[in-house]
Amino acid sequence: MPLWHLAVSALITIDNSSALISLLADFRKQNPDAKIGFVPTMGALHQGHISLITRAKKENQLVVCSIFVNPTQFNDPKDLERYPRTAEADAAMLSDNGCDIVYFPAVDDIYPNGLNEPFDMDFGGIDNVMEGAHRPGHFKGVAQVVDRFFRIVRPDRAYFGQKDFQQVAVIRQLVKEKKHAVEIIACPTLRSTQGLALSSRNMLLSEEEKENSLIIYKTLLSGQNWIKDNSDITELTEKLTVFFKKGNLHLEYLELANPENLQPVKNKNQPVHCFIAAFCGKVRLIDNMRLN
Ligand code: PAF
């Protein structure tokens, strides 16, 4: 184990980019062959995030996690306000799970020129469907903040959960567009024992609402079963929508799309992936699953 690593066996907390840049430069100088793994988060950490930290820990010599509730990716100010913040518990979880550095920036450290700083990127159309269509500006905000993080941390590998499937596609496009030298690693969605996809937003749900939200998982599983006997994708989409609406959630969209380009699928000779976004009360939940 490199000497530098022994010296940082406790979690280091950093709240400004200049300090982080110089710490990482020092690390790289002393450990030229070492790899840096990065897990960007908005905090309110759960086992899904920890699975990313654990994987990053296995594959890299140093693991950096960022915790930043990014205002530019919230198209609804109330959603930003409600977003759970659990800084102390997050730091304890990261420390217990072997994370080396947590970067906890303030808004002006990430956006020194203000929140309206321009950010341009060609999203190649993936920002026009599903999450992109229903949350205008969301992916621009995500790409903007992740671009900033990649410039600060310059990780060798960055880890994202597949629950945010479309976000992973946006990040891959960002890497291509801005020529970041980072490998993007998409990790499987973790679920509760009953099947609810783990999400920071689940903290905002009552036990009854968590139970009601299982309709998302049940619909995805039904999709996997029903696609075997349904060759008509429009019919299958309708059947799944009717099934979903028997539950207590408010459906925003249910779409069957090709996971490679996120465009709607016409037949099941292509890969078919089901994407769902729905509100349980005021809490917006998303999930997805490959059907065939
Ligand atoms: O997935 C998230 O938590 C956020 O969208 C991310 C990638 C940390 C950017 O703010």
Side-chain angles (χ1 to χ4, degrees):
M1 187 187 291
L3 281 178
W4 197 94
H5 199 266
L6 286 176
V8 293
S9 55
L11 179 70
I12 294 178
T13 304
I14 291 189
D15 64 4
N16 77 86
S17 50
S18 323
L20 182 56
I21 289 168
S22 84
L23 186 72
L24 293 176
D26 189 29
F27 172 77
R28 285 194 185 90
K29 210 158 143 197
Q30 293 186 39
N31 304 272
D33 298 327
K35 302 286 181 215
I36 296 177
F38 177 50
V39 182
T41 80
M42 298 207 297
L45 302 182
H46 50 69
Q47 285 309 314
H49 294 116
I50 295 307
S51 71
L52 306 183
I53 298 284
T54 306
R55 172 113 184 241
K57 189 83 193 152
K58 256 192 218 138
E59 297 177 351
N60 304 276
Q61 283 65 50
L62 191 84
V63 176
V64 180
C65 173
S66 62
I67 296 187
F68 179 65
V69 183
N70 174 34
T72 66
Q73 72 187 73
F74 285 83
N75 51 317
D76 173 0
K78 291 223 173 72
D79 190 24
L80 171 61
E81 209 176 284
R82 268 197 300 268
Y83 200 84
R85 289 157 171 92
T86 58
E88 269 177 39
D90 291 349
M93 275 174 98
L94 290 175
S95 174
D96 290 350
N97 288 281
C99 179
D100 298 296
I101 298 173
V102 58
Y103 174 41
F104 245 129
V107 171
D108 56 6
D109 192 40
I110 296 296
Y111 299 110
N113 302 318
L115 293 178
N116 296 324
E117 197 174 326
F119 177 80
D120 282 322
M121 173 183 141
D122 178 4
F123 287 85
I126 43 175
D127 61 330
N128 294 333
V129 292
M130 298 187 288
E131 286 304 277
H134 287 85
R135 300 185 70 189
H138 169 64
F139 283 133
K140 187 171 175 216
V142 170
Q144 183 178 24
V145 78
V146 174
D147 180 65
R148 174 92 173 111
F149 283 138
F150 284 173
R151 286 174 203 279
I152 295 169
V153 179
R154 296 205 291 112
D156 297 284
R157 302 186 181 96
Y159 297 80
F160 295 86
Q162 263 179 328
K163 182 180 76 67
D164 297 300
F165 195 98
Q166 198 175 353
Q167 170 171 278
V168 177
V170 166
I171 304 296
R172 291 193 194 284
Q173 176 74 4
L174 167 77
V175 167
K176 206 167 101 190
E177 278 277 304
K178 305 285 180 190
K179 303 188 174 37
H180 288 295
V182 56
E183 183 186 353
I184 300 303
I185 307 208
C187 302
T189 303
L190 257 60
R191 299 181 180 280
S192 71
T193 42
Q194 291 176 296
L196 180 63
L198 298 192
S199 160
S200 303
R201 291 170 192 268
N202 296 355
M203 283 181 198
L204 304 172
L205 299 173
S206 66
E207 286 312 307
E208 190 189 345
E209 286 174 324
K210 280 186 193 157
E211 189 72 34
N212 290 340
S213 301
L214 292 176
I215 188 69
I216 303 177
Y217 182 58
K218 289 178 191 159
T219 305
L220 294 170
L221 289 184
S222 304
Q224 281 190 334
N225 281 328
W226 295 344
I227 199 167
K228 294 174 198 150
D229 306 319
N230 261 274
S231 45
D232 186 325
I233 291 294
T234 312
E235 248 172 48
L236 177 59
T237 308
E238 272 164 28
K239 201 170 158 188
L240 289 170
T241 304
V242 169
F243 178 80
F244 185 92
K245 287 187 173 169
K246 287 195 179 129
N248 289 321
L249 268 57
H250 173 75
L251 183 64
E252 194 167 66
Y253 64 79
L254 183 158
E255 289 191 24
L256 301 190
N258 185 328
E260 278 146 33
N261 57 18
L262 300 172
Q263 299 307 311
V265 279
K266 295 202 169 47
N267 59 62
K268 65 176 189 181
N269 298 334
Q270 332 167 35
V272 181
H273 208 98
C274 183
F275 295 86
I276 296 178
F279 281 91
C280 180
K282 290 183 173 149
V283 183
R284 190 173 184 279
L285 301 170
I286 58 170
D287 202 350
N288 65 85
M289 195 177 277
R290 177 71 178 262
L291 300 191
N292 58 353

